[in-house]
Amino acid sequence: MERGIGKMKKVLLLGLLLMVIVVMVGGGGAKEPAAKAPTTPAAATVANVASAWVINSDLMDSAVYRIDVATNKQSAKIPFEGAPGGIAVSPEGVWVTDFANDKLVRIDPASHKIAASVKVGKGPKPVVIGAGSVWVGNSNDGTVSRIDIASNSVTATIQVTNTAVNGLCFADNAVW
């Protein structure tokens, strides 16, 4: 039975393997420089804490973890019913796809509680944010769902392929 630091390393490794770390820059006090990636927009402020957000899809312990990047320590564990498949962070919340239940969940980063749940296509995995929307790739039906951030509702479902949608990117004001 794994305990303590060994389990934390396993959780972090699983999160990295799932390509789901999103680093946020804090907004209170002195400003930290935004991540330097040429196609990445400036990092958003979420609850005034510089954080990395990680999902764990372990069937026995599905959760969303918040890591304080200043201390490299877990600052929150949010239990997740279902199977998290992807994660994206905006000033409005932490957005996590639930592959098992065909939905997108918005977590309030201040309270660490689920603030909204939106039904999307079948088998949602990748999720990105852009143009005032959250975009979800639905792996089991070849569609992309566009969700309005303000209303937490699907505004469009776009058929893009007859096979799985396993990755999305928002760049140059477009979803790729």
Side-chain angles (χ1 to χ4, degrees):
M1 180 174 205
E2 292 185 34
R3 293 187 166 283
I5 204 120
K7 185 167 183 168
M8 179 56 78
K9 284 182 181 178
K10 180 181 175 186
V11 167
L12 289 175
L13 181 59
L14 284 171
L16 288 171
L17 292 174
L18 291 170
M19 68 175 204
V20 294
I21 291 184
V22 178
V23 178
M24 302 308 297
V25 176
K31 297 279 184 182
E32 296 177 45
K36 293 181 181 171
T39 59
T40 303
T45 301
V46 177
N48 295 326
V49 177
S51 300
W53 294 85
V54 181
I55 58 173
N56 178 18
S57 295
D58 184 332
L59 294 176
M60 301 303 288
D61 189 28
S62 289
V64 177
Y65 295 88
R66 185 177 194 165
I67 311 299
D68 181 322
V69 297
T71 64
N72 293 324
K73 294 188 191 275
Q74 175 184 320
S75 59
K77 177 183 178 184
I78 301 124
F80 194 88
E81 291 186 26
I87 188 169
V89 181
S90 75
E92 296 80 15
V94 179
W95 304 86
V96 182
T97 56
D98 182 349
F99 184 80
N101 297 304
D102 302 330
K103 64 184 177 180
L104 175 69
V105 174
R106 182 171 62 87
I107 297 171
D108 178 341
S111 69
H112 300 129
K113 305 267 187 228
I114 292 175
S117 179
V118 181
K119 195 76 170 159
V120 292
K122 296 191 181 309
K125 282 187 180 176
V127 57
V128 297
I129 298 168
S133 297
V134 180
W135 303 83
V136 175
N138 302 301
S139 297
N140 292 346
D141 64 13
T143 64
V144 172
S145 298
R146 182 179 188 172
I147 295 90
D148 178 68
I149 289 176
S151 66
N152 296 315
S153 62
V154 175
T155 59
T157 301
I158 304 131
Q159 185 73 45
V160 294
T161 182
N162 291 328
T163 60
V165 177
N166 289 313
L168 290 176
C169 175
F170 189 87
D172 297 327
N173 207 30
V175 177
W176 301 88

